[in-house]
Amino acid sequence: MHKIGICGGSGYTGAELLRILNLHPDVEITAITSEKSAGKTVPEIFPHLTAYKHLVYEPLINEKLLSKADIFFMALPHGASQIAVDYFFSNGKKVIDLSADYRIKNPSVYEEWYKLPHQKTATLAKAVYGLPELYRKDIKNAALIANPGCYPTGSILALAPVLKAGLVDLDSISIDAKSGVSGAGRKSDMVFSYCEVNDGFKAYGLGTHRHTPEIEQVLSSVAQSDILLNFTPHLVPMDRGIVSTIYCRLKKDITTSDVLSIYQQAYTNEQFVVVLPEGKYPDAKHVRGTNYCHIGLKVNKRTNTLIIVSAIDNLVKGASGQAVQNMNLMLGIDEAAAIKGLALFP
Amino acid sequence: MHKIGICGGSGYTGAELLRILNLHPDVEITAITSEKSAGKTVPEIFPHLTAYKHLVYEPLINEKLLSKADIFFMALPHGASQIAVDYFFSNGKKVIDLSADYRIKNPSVYEEWYKLPHQKTATLAKAVYGLPELYRKDIKNAALIANPGCYPTGSILALAPVLKAGLVDLDSISIDAKSGVSGAGRKSDMVFSYCEVNDGFKAYGLGTHRHTPEIEQVLSSVAQSDILLNFTPHLVPMDRGIVSTIYCRLKKDITTSDVLSIYQQAYTNEQFVVVLPEGKYPDAKHVRGTNYCHIGLKVNKRTNTLIIVSAIDNLVKGASGQAVQNMNLMLGIDEAAAIKGLALFP
Amino acid sequence: MHKIGICGGSGYTGAELLRILNLHPDVEITAITSEKSAGKTVPEIFPHLTAYKHLVYEPLINEKLLSKADIFFMALPHGASQIAVDYFFSNGKKVIDLSADYRIKNPSVYEEWYKLPHQKTATLAKAVYGLPELYRKDIKNAALIANPGCYPTGSILALAPVLKAGLVDLDSISIDAKSGVSGAGRKSDMVFSYCEVNDGFKAYGLGTHRHTPEIEQVLSSVAQSDILLNFTPHLVPMDRGIVSTIYCRLKKDITTSDVLSIYQQAYTNEQFVVVLPEGKYPDAKHVRGTNYCHIGLKVNKRTNTLIIVSAIDNLVKGASGQAVQNMNLMLGIDEAAAIKGLALFP
Amino acid sequence: MHKIGICGGSGYTGAELLRILNLHPDVEITAITSEKSAGKTVPEIFPHLTAYKHLVYEPLINEKLLSKADIFFMALPHGASQIAVDYFFSNGKKVIDLSADYRIKNPSVYEEWYKLPHQKTATLAKAVYGLPELYRKDIKNAALIANPGCYPTGSILALAPVLKAGLVDLDSISIDAKSGVSGAGRKSDMVFSYCEVNDGFKAYGLGTHRHTPEIEQVLSSVAQSDILLNFTPHLVPMDRGIVSTIYCRLKKDITTSDVLSIYQQAYTNEQFVVVLPEGKYPDAKHVRGTNYCHIGLKVNKRTNTLIIVSAIDNLVKGASGQAVQNMNLMLGIDEAAAIKGLALFP
């Protein structure tokens, strides 16, 4: 049994790691941290996690934690993650970082968007971007994974095949993304209170969301050409899920069916990506609680535009599920261990 | 007191007309039709409409209805509306048609999208498109109003000022629209049942939604140039509201603040359009139950794109409220009579 | 025009007063207070209240406020309300207090449940409990109204007729109440965040909710005998509304139809209470945004139990709407002014 | 691998069986029926069940189905289930019936509440009521299981310990139950459409719900005395979950802590029943998607009443999960196989 430590375990991604790993045959959770919940058991904070009544939160003291586990999941706020990740990584542990701190390869881009300098650039250079569908081979050999952001996961999986195929104008991409409320984390904030969110819908952060450079970095690499794009997040009155509707201008005449073939081929060996039949489009509810990404698309002949729609669960494929997928790859075990579950529908 | 007849009064737009007109000082409902609810009182069908316990549904028999009212609101399915509208209009009544039958000026475009020939093209030619912010003068003199669709109302109000100002490439417009479930009407359909919709989110009808040619017709007229655009509707787990996020490429360098000035000027005399301050974006919940349209926008300098977001209540400004606004204009009374209410929030 | 001051106007009941009074023909809001929002306009805090862009929040300084209005609505936290209410009342203003501070007649009962002594017992003695259906005559002559709590309003209206008729055992009453989330107020509290509440349902405060003694006080007075009862609140994933399901053992054999007759007679002159036909039960959604109370009931012959169900909107009949109803009565104007609106459905 | 047939697999309980059994190590689904979906694959009906793309719905023809599986789950409407269950059972198959047809032991009580005669009373006599916490030993030896109703599961687990202990008056029990919408099944019915249910709450079926005699039958057996009780179902705007709040008069003076001890002892060996600490009450969201039942309770000293609250997921512990638990017991394998999952929260 591999020993697992979770740093920052009182938020939704931490709870989701516990939910998922509870069904994992090869690991056990040996440590979990939280400053404000230190001394409490997991079910005192999360009554649904009844299987963990003997697991107690402790404060994050790197030195005390080091020997308690072999693999560390870091679910800390960005900034805080920089130092902690570097510590465990430098001391020979496998680290999967769910924060944004090790995703942006260029430290000045990181600083521009996150308003913080990066203090561990040597370690940053060693981090592997943990999107298995694109970087599985690197992940298998990595000791430090920068687990992708929720919005980037949905957007990149939706766009990678068409960019690889060179089918669209690179300056024409607009991503209109819609997220459930858990994307904002677990906290006391009036803006995310029930009465403010329920039965409403809104856009936010137009042109300024921090996931923009992450999406651009990966897609530029895929397209082998610099990409700037529009990314607009919205808040949906639902717990989980991200649906991304993406517009890009086609460079040549092609049918929906032919573009679908390109996607089916691109993802033919990917057990967590489902390319839907022509005329079908994804629903966040169909991936709720799962590690799946569903993709549908349509060529709009009238406007010469390709419209792609993807859906993921932001807490699973967009965070903790993908983190476990990365762990499985790093350990050389079944990539799908503990994340085989089908969606909770309805 | 003007006498009002409502044809097709057992759906959500019919109920919304009753809710709104109950507070109108100058009108009384004298007839309401429904085939399947004939013989029942309004509160038997809609328990919330307690003020109408003496109003009884009757079947729609044009000849019997003609003398019962001076003004007819038609909330019938498209197709069925063609004949009924023509009848009341030809017999000298004022008619406000909430269906799509008299919106599309070109009968062949109508037939292409609605899969039905138009049988009353002479009457069609006399219909005025009932968007007061664009066509107030014509509405005041009209006897037949084609009340705009819900999606078109939100999209057109969001785009008209920038198209009039000639700021954007006309072949670059993508409208990503999100609607509450009441847009689908009141009916028994598993697809819109609670468990299928709640805690989910999906796109539908990519490239094929019938509101597309209606939006294109009006915007082409505003821009004085033919426009084809992308229009993608989505289903939001909420009762009411449409939020439209619109992407268009700017032809010149301009700031968010300057575009906002253009909008503020365009709508300075419009009591139902609110242009939000820079950095603020609309929320469907802030217009819930009202005749307001809220608009926010942002110039994305990095991509040279203007992103506009508008929000309306699909049943009010997108249907019955705008219908009452049109009625008020036709009657020469206070344009805001009965539709002054502020949003039900939360 | 009567001049209205609102003390504590940045919460949901304050916003609801603004929404309602905006349609009132005889009043104008001349002052509104909020400590944390002082200096801001109303739409900066509540974007849906666009009609109030010239109304600016100010801190609550009793002396400065006194001359600004004739009638004061107090929407302050309990405790804080004691002093402020006393000040305006003692200086000759009409006061409607939406807090609990002047509802409990017995200061020691107040102290027991609210854990605070009552410092203004002389003023307390002059307060009239503002439930028009029971105390209309007193309200008309009152200068200080203790506006009823949300749960008590729904429970008392449901039980008063059967208690007056002496039909049930007074020691057998259990009230199982379910409230929308706005009952918790507008605040940053993780417990009421969207993700904690949505798609869930729970009981809270078993046997300890502060509305219990308020319900008991009024019902004991109605029954002219001391009543202790069970009151269990629950949290429903909806914005507004309280549905109370009430169980009481019948003292004699009686049919549902006969009990309904008693209710219809009891409320025959009450425009805001609707007694539903046999076999129909209330839905919170049918009173959403309104001042109505819907009541349905059933005699369970098998168990000799009367089951009564009532529904109100906690922010309207359960708070701000009833406060306006009380104001109308105090001013001798149309009792229904500004609160005639029908429910926003769906 | 045991071969599993599912009769009636296009509803929510059928889909839930597929979701759950997909993770079961010892079984495979070899047949599934649906009249209206015959010929379609499972993901064509349920896009979230991507693991079943080779499983095709077939019409239910008993003779053709018989040899295809060893164990049959029957998710047919009541009435229809009578004959089909009898057929497979009489032909030597293990049968788990999710309908109500084999739950009520007394055929005349069945007929009174279900308005149908029971045609297979000999088989009825052999059915075991599948509530493992009460009847585990019988279930292990059974060939025909009457899987409990959703409401009865939550109510019986909440009441059994206190009835066994003889603590309450048997004529004083009122069960106020609240269910998510999936309890109504998957169908086209306007009453359960999103806009009718969302942001509302209502009671229904007062005194007439068919689960009443089922609850009474089991509890009477537990108490060894005839019980009649009040049972009031309500509809909550959520997908899944039942919370039951139960009132019963105590026969003697006892503390909350002492009653909790009785419950902890009663369920000490039950892995799916969690008795919450004093002051904590269940939330439907904490059992969402799981086979758990959470129970909290409080003695109200003021009224001498015991108030018990339980929460289950109606589709799992209230239907398909419990069915799998019963299957596991019948097969003599790990009782928790495939139903170990923790709740999807949020």
Side-chain angles (χ1 to χ4, degrees):
Chain A
M1 297 291 272
H2 300 278
K3 291 189 289 178
I4 305 291
I6 298 176
C7 297
S10 63
Y12 289 138
T13 52
E16 194 68 357
L17 283 169
L18 292 169
R19 179 182 76 87
I20 291 169
L21 292 174
N22 185 47
L23 296 178
H24 201 294
D26 302 324
V27 308
E28 60 177 330
I29 317 282
T30 50
I32 189 161
T33 82
S34 166
E35 308 311 305
K36 66 172 195 289
S37 301
K40 296 194 172 158
T41 67
V42 167
E44 286 180 272
I45 305 305
F46 292 110
H48 70 296
L49 295 176
T50 45
Y52 292 99
K53 62 187 165 194
H54 301 301
L55 186 63
V56 177
Y57 287 105
E58 57 185 295
L60 171 52
I61 301 166
N62 291 343
E63 294 69 22
K64 286 188 61 175
L65 219 61
L66 187 62
S67 64
K68 293 194 177 176
D70 314 314
I71 305 166
F72 286 89
F73 288 93
M74 313 300 286
L76 301 170
H78 72 264
S81 206
Q82 282 186 28
I83 310 301
V85 163
D86 178 72
Y87 177 82
F88 292 106
F89 172 74
S90 302
N91 281 280
K93 302 295 182 179
K94 285 186 164 49
V95 179
I96 299 165
D97 182 22
L98 282 83
S99 88
D101 281 353
Y102 288 83
R103 294 179 197 154
I104 305 290
K105 282 296 167 194
N106 183 333
S108 66
V109 172
Y110 174 86
E111 184 165 353
E112 179 190 344
W113 288 82
Y114 286 88
K115 311 298 177 201
L116 283 172
H118 207 297
Q119 304 174 49
K120 302 291 176 184
T121 52
T123 300
L124 173 60
K126 292 173 191 152
V128 170
Y129 192 74
L131 192 63
E133 289 77 8
L134 295 187
Y135 305 112
R136 182 171 288 110
K137 209 170 130 187
D138 296 335
I139 295 165
K140 285 182 178 176
N141 298 314
L144 169 55
I145 297 294
N147 208 59
C150 52
Y151 283 126
T153 296
S155 294
I156 295 167
L157 291 174
L159 277 163
V162 79
L163 293 181
K164 273 186 191 154
L167 288 179
V168 300
D169 285 331
L170 299 184
D171 65 349
S172 74
I173 303 172
S174 292
I175 301 172
D176 195 274
K178 300 89 175 175
S179 175
V181 188
S182 62
R186 192 182 206 216
K187 57 190 174 197
S188 296
D189 185 339
M190 196 265 284
V191 168
F192 300 106
S193 68
Y194 187 83
C195 287
E196 302 289 313
V197 171
N198 176 52
D199 223 34
F201 182 90
K202 66 174 177 183
Y204 66 96
L206 272 72
T208 63
H209 195 283
R210 285 163 168 174
H211 284 172
T212 309
E214 182 181 339
I215 299 169
E216 290 174 346
Q217 168 183 285
V218 179
L219 292 182
S220 295
S221 158
V222 168
Q224 301 191 307
S225 177
D226 280 356
I227 292 177
L228 295 182
L229 48 74
N230 294 306
F231 174 73
T232 313
H234 300 74
L235 189 70
V236 186
M238 63 180 179
D239 285 348
R240 294 163 175 251
I242 289 176
V243 171
S244 304
T245 309
I246 304 172
Y247 301 84
C248 34
R249 202 171 45 247
L250 285 160
K251 289 200 295 197
K252 58 171 232 181
D253 214 31
I254 189 168
T255 64
T256 299
S257 168
D258 285 343
V259 182
L260 277 173
S261 293
I262 291 169
Y263 275 71
Q264 278 146 0
Q265 205 170 332
Y267 291 127
T268 189
N269 293 320
E270 293 299 338
Q271 60 184 307
F272 291 118
V273 181
V274 175
V275 180
L276 299 175
E278 188 164 352
K280 300 287 181 188
Y281 307 105
D283 187 327
K285 193 160 194 172
H286 293 153
V287 297
R288 185 163 68 156
T290 80
N291 203 51
Y292 286 94
C293 175
H294 284 195
I295 299 175
L297 58 83
K298 167 92 175 186
V299 170
N300 189 345
K301 284 280 175 197
R302 302 172 75 246
T303 60
N304 203 32
T305 305
L306 173 64
I307 306 170
I308 315 160
V309 187
S310 73
I312 61 165
D313 182 320
N314 57 302
L315 291 180
V316 189
K317 185 62 177 170
S320 303
Q322 186 148 267
V324 171
Q325 187 179 1
N326 283 318
M327 179 195 78
N328 291 340
L329 287 168
M330 293 163 90
L331 294 175
I333 60 177
D334 175 11
E335 183 176 339
I339 44 175
K340 291 185 174 79
L342 298 174
L344 194 73
F345 177 92
Chain B
M1 297 292 272
H2 300 278
K3 291 191 288 178
I4 304 292
I6 298 175
C7 297
S10 65
Y12 290 139
T13 52
E16 194 67 356
L17 282 169
L18 291 169
R19 179 182 75 87
I20 292 169
L21 292 174
N22 184 47
L23 296 179
H24 201 295
D26 303 323
V27 308
E28 59 177 330
I29 317 282
T30 50
I32 189 161
T33 82
S34 167
E35 308 312 305
K36 66 174 195 288
S37 301
K40 295 193 173 162
T41 67
V42 167
E44 285 181 274
I45 304 307
F46 291 110
H48 70 295
L49 296 176
T50 45
Y52 292 99
K53 62 187 164 192
H54 301 303
L55 186 63
V56 177
Y57 287 105
E58 57 184 296
L60 172 50
I61 301 166
N62 291 345
E63 294 70 22
K64 284 187 64 175
L65 220 61
L66 187 63
S67 63
K68 292 193 177 177
D70 313 315
I71 305 167
F72 286 88
F73 289 92
M74 313 300 287
L76 301 170
H78 72 264
S81 206
Q82 282 186 29
I83 310 302
V85 163
D86 178 72
Y87 176 83
F88 292 105
F89 173 73
S90 302
N91 280 279
K93 301 295 182 178
K94 285 184 163 51
V95 180
I96 298 164
D97 182 22
L98 283 83
S99 88
D101 280 353
Y102 289 84
R103 294 180 196 153
I104 305 290
K105 283 296 169 192
N106 184 334
S108 66
V109 173
Y110 173 86
E111 185 166 353
E112 180 190 344
W113 289 81
Y114 287 88
K115 311 299 177 202
L116 283 173
H118 207 297
Q119 304 174 49
K120 302 291 175 183
T121 51
T123 299
L124 173 60
K126 292 175 192 152
V128 169
Y129 191 74
L131 193 63
E133 289 76 9
L134 294 188
Y135 305 112
R136 183 171 287 110
K137 209 170 129 189
D138 296 335
I139 294 164
K140 285 183 178 176
N141 299 314
L144 170 54
I145 296 294
N147 208 59
C150 52
Y151 283 125
T153 296
S155 294
I156 295 167
L157 291 175
L159 277 164
V162 79
L163 293 182
K164 272 188 191 153
L167 289 178
V168 300
D169 284 332
L170 299 185
D171 65 349
S172 74
I173 303 172
S174 292
I175 301 171
D176 196 273
K178 301 91 175 173
S179 175
V181 188
S182 62
R186 192 182 207 216
K187 57 191 172 195
S188 297
D189 184 339
M190 197 264 283
V191 169
F192 299 107
S193 67
Y194 186 83
C195 288
E196 301 291 311
V197 172
N198 177 52
D199 224 34
F201 183 89
K202 67 173 176 182
Y204 67 97
L206 272 73
T208 63
H209 195 284
R210 286 163 168 174
H211 284 172
T212 310
E214 182 181 338
I215 298 168
E216 290 174 345
Q217 168 184 285
V218 179
L219 292 181
S220 295
S221 158
V222 167
Q224 299 192 310
S225 177
D226 279 357
I227 293 177
L228 294 182
L229 48 75
N230 294 305
F231 174 74
T232 312
H234 300 74
L235 189 69
V236 185
M238 63 180 178
D239 286 347
R240 295 164 174 247
I242 289 176
V243 172
S244 304
T245 309
I246 304 171
Y247 300 84
C248 35
R249 201 169 49 247
L250 285 161
K251 290 199 293 197
K252 57 173 234 181
D253 214 33
I254 189 167
T255 65
T256 299
S257 167
D258 285 343
V259 182
L260 278 173
S261 292
I262 291 169
Y263 275 71
Q264 278 146 0
Q265 205 170 332
Y267 291 127
T268 189
N269 294 319
E270 293 299 337
Q271 60 184 306
F272 291 118
V273 180
V274 175
V275 180
L276 298 175
E278 189 163 352
K280 300 287 181 188
Y281 307 105
D283 187 326
K285 195 160 192 171
H286 293 153
V287 298
R288 184 164 67 156
T290 79
N291 203 51
Y292 286 93
C293 176
H294 284 195
I295 299 176
L297 58 83
K298 168 92 173 186
V299 171
N300 189 347
K301 285 278 175 200
R302 300 172 76 245
T303 60
N304 203 31
T305 305
L306 173 64
I307 307 170
I308 315 162
V309 187
S310 73
I312 61 164
D313 182 319
N314 58 302
L315 291 180
V316 189
K317 185 62 177 170
S320 304
Q322 187 148 266
V324 172
Q325 186 179 2
N326 283 318
M327 179 196 77
N328 290 340
L329 287 168
M330 293 163 91
L331 293 176
I333 60 178
D334 175 11
E335 183 175 340
I339 45 176
K340 292 183 173 80
L342 299 174
L344 195 73
F345 177 91
Chain C
M1 298 291 273
H2 300 278
K3 292 190 289 177
I4 305 292
I6 299 175
C7 297
S10 64
Y12 289 140
T13 52
E16 194 68 355
L17 282 169
L18 292 169
R19 180 182 75 86
I20 292 169
L21 292 174
N22 184 47
L23 296 179
H24 202 295
D26 302 324
V27 309
E28 60 178 329
I29 317 283
T30 50
I32 190 161
T33 82
S34 166
E35 308 312 304
K36 66 174 194 288
S37 301
K40 294 194 174 160
T41 67
V42 167
E44 285 180 274
I45 305 306
F46 292 110
H48 70 295
L49 295 176
T50 46
Y52 293 98
K53 62 187 164 192
H54 301 303
L55 186 63
V56 177
Y57 287 104
E58 57 186 296
L60 171 51
I61 302 165
N62 291 344
E63 294 70 20
K64 285 187 64 175
L65 220 61
L66 186 63
S67 62
K68 292 193 176 178
D70 313 314
I71 305 166
F72 286 88
F73 288 92
M74 312 301 287
L76 302 170
H78 72 264
S81 206
Q82 282 186 29
I83 309 301
V85 163
D86 178 72
Y87 176 83
F88 292 106
F89 173 73
S90 303
N91 280 278
K93 301 295 181 177
K94 286 185 161 52
V95 179
I96 299 164
D97 182 22
L98 282 83
S99 89
D101 280 353
Y102 289 84
R103 294 179 197 154
I104 305 290
K105 283 296 167 194
N106 183 334
S108 65
V109 174
Y110 174 86
E111 185 165 354
E112 180 190 345
W113 289 82
Y114 287 88
K115 310 300 176 199
L116 283 172
H118 207 297
Q119 304 174 48
K120 302 289 176 183
T121 51
T123 299
L124 173 59
K126 291 175 191 151
V128 170
Y129 192 73
L131 192 63
E133 288 77 8
L134 294 188
Y135 305 112
R136 182 170 288 111
K137 207 169 130 189
D138 295 335
I139 294 164
K140 285 183 178 176
N141 299 315
L144 170 55
I145 297 294
N147 208 58
C150 51
Y151 283 125
T153 296
S155 294
I156 295 167
L157 291 175
L159 277 163
V162 80
L163 293 182
K164 273 187 192 154
L167 288 178
V168 300
D169 284 333
L170 299 185
D171 66 349
S172 74
I173 303 172
S174 291
I175 301 172
D176 195 273
K178 302 89 175 175
S179 174
V181 189
S182 62
R186 191 183 207 214
K187 57 191 172 196
S188 296
D189 185 339
M190 197 264 284
V191 169
F192 300 107
S193 67
Y194 186 84
C195 287
E196 301 290 313
V197 172
N198 178 51
D199 224 33
F201 183 90
K202 66 173 177 184
Y204 67 95
L206 271 73
T208 63
H209 195 282
R210 286 164 168 173
H211 284 172
T212 310
E214 182 181 338
I215 299 169
E216 291 175 344
Q217 168 183 285
V218 179
L219 292 181
S220 296
S221 159
V222 167
Q224 300 191 310
S225 177
D226 280 356
I227 293 177
L228 294 183
L229 48 76
N230 294 305
F231 174 73
T232 312
H234 300 74
L235 189 69
V236 186
M238 63 179 179
D239 285 348
R240 294 165 176 247
I242 290 175
V243 171
S244 304
T245 309
I246 304 172
Y247 302 84
C248 33
R249 201 171 46 247
L250 284 160
K251 289 199 294 197
K252 57 172 234 182
D253 213 32
I254 188 168
T255 64
T256 299
S257 168
D258 285 342
V259 182
L260 277 173
S261 293
I262 291 169
Y263 275 70
Q264 277 146 0
Q265 205 170 331
Y267 290 127
T268 188
N269 293 318
E270 293 299 337
Q271 61 185 307
F272 291 117
V273 180
V274 175
V275 180
L276 298 175
E278 188 164 352
K280 300 287 180 186
Y281 307 105
D283 187 327
K285 195 161 192 170
H286 293 153
V287 297
R288 184 163 70 155
T290 80
N291 203 51
Y292 286 94
C293 176
H294 285 195
I295 299 176
L297 58 83
K298 167 94 175 185
V299 171
N300 189 345
K301 286 277 174 201
R302 301 172 75 246
T303 60
N304 201 32
T305 305
L306 173 63
I307 307 170
I308 316 162
V309 187
S310 73
I312 60 165
D313 181 321
N314 57 303
L315 291 181
V316 188
K317 185 63 177 171
S320 304
Q322 187 148 267
V324 171
Q325 187 179 0
N326 283 317
M327 179 195 77
N328 290 340
L329 287 168
M330 293 163 91
L331 294 175
I333 59 178
D334 175 11
E335 183 175 341
I339 46 176
K340 293 184 172 79
L342 299 174
L344 195 73
F345 177 91
Chain D
M1 297 290 275
H2 301 278
K3 291 190 289 177
I4 305 292
I6 298 175
C7 297
S10 64
Y12 289 139
T13 52
E16 194 67 355
L17 282 169
L18 292 169
R19 180 182 76 87
I20 292 169
L21 293 173
N22 184 48
L23 296 178
H24 201 294
D26 303 322
V27 308
E28 60 177 329
I29 317 282
T30 50
I32 190 161
T33 82
S34 166
E35 308 311 306
K36 66 175 194 286
S37 301
K40 296 193 173 160
T41 67
V42 167
E44 286 180 274
I45 305 305
F46 291 111
H48 71 294
L49 296 176
T50 46
Y52 292 99
K53 61 187 165 193
H54 301 301
L55 186 62
V56 177
Y57 287 104
E58 57 185 295
L60 171 51
I61 301 164
N62 291 344
E63 294 69 22
K64 286 187 62 175
L65 220 60
L66 187 62
S67 63
K68 292 193 175 177
D70 314 315
I71 305 166
F72 286 88
F73 289 92
M74 313 300 287
L76 300 170
H78 71 266
S81 207
Q82 282 186 29
I83 310 302
V85 164
D86 178 72
Y87 177 83
F88 292 105
F89 173 73
S90 303
N91 281 280
K93 301 295 181 178
K94 286 184 163 51
V95 180
I96 299 164
D97 182 22
L98 283 83
S99 89
D101 280 353
Y102 289 83
R103 294 178 196 155
I104 305 289
K105 284 295 169 195
N106 184 334
S108 66
V109 172
Y110 173 86
E111 185 166 353
E112 180 190 344
W113 289 83
Y114 288 89
K115 311 298 175 201
L116 283 172
H118 206 298
Q119 303 174 50
K120 302 290 175 184
T121 52
T123 300
L124 173 59
K126 292 173 192 153
V128 170
Y129 192 74
L131 192 63
E133 288 77 7
L134 294 188
Y135 305 112
R136 182 171 287 109
K137 209 170 129 187
D138 296 335
I139 294 165
K140 285 183 178 175
N141 299 315
L144 169 55
I145 297 294
N147 208 59
C150 51
Y151 284 125
T153 296
S155 294
I156 295 167
L157 291 175
L159 276 163
V162 80
L163 293 182
K164 274 187 191 155
L167 289 178
V168 300
D169 285 332
L170 299 185
D171 65 350
S172 75
I173 302 172
S174 291
I175 301 172
D176 195 274
K178 301 89 175 174
S179 174
V181 189
S182 62
R186 193 184 207 215
K187 56 190 173 194
S188 296
D189 185 339
M190 197 265 284
V191 169
F192 300 106
S193 68
Y194 186 83
C195 287
E196 301 291 311
V197 172
N198 177 52
D199 224 34
F201 183 89
K202 67 173 177 184
Y204 66 96
L206 271 73
T208 63
H209 195 283
R210 286 163 168 174
H211 284 172
T212 310
E214 182 181 340
I215 298 169
E216 290 174 346
Q217 168 184 286
V218 179
L219 292 182
S220 296
S221 159
V222 168
Q224 300 190 311
S225 177
D226 280 356
I227 292 177
L228 294 183
L229 49 74
N230 294 305
F231 174 74
T232 312
H234 301 74
L235 188 70
V236 185
M238 63 180 178
D239 285 348
R240 295 163 174 250
I242 290 177
V243 172
S244 304
T245 308
I246 303 172
Y247 301 83
C248 34
R249 200 170 46 247
L250 285 160
K251 289 200 293 197
K252 59 171 233 181
D253 212 32
I254 189 168
T255 64
T256 299
S257 167
D258 285 344
V259 182
L260 278 172
S261 292
I262 292 169
Y263 275 70
Q264 277 147 0
Q265 206 170 331
Y267 291 127
T268 188
N269 294 319
E270 293 300 337
Q271 60 185 307
F272 291 118
V273 181
V274 175
V275 180
L276 299 175
E278 188 164 351
K280 299 287 180 189
Y281 307 105
D283 187 328
K285 194 160 193 172
H286 294 152
V287 297
R288 185 164 65 156
T290 80
N291 202 51
Y292 286 94
C293 176
H294 285 195
I295 299 176
L297 58 83
K298 166 93 176 186
V299 171
N300 189 347
K301 285 279 175 199
R302 300 171 76 245
T303 60
N304 203 32
T305 305
L306 173 63
I307 307 169
I308 316 161
V309 187
S310 73
I312 60 165
D313 182 321
N314 57 303
L315 291 180
V316 189
K317 185 62 176 169
S320 304
Q322 187 148 266
V324 171
Q325 187 179 1
N326 283 317
M327 179 195 78
N328 291 340
L329 288 168
M330 293 163 90
L331 293 176
I333 59 177
D334 174 11
E335 182 176 339
I339 45 175
K340 292 184 173 80
L342 299 174
L344 194 73
F345 176 92

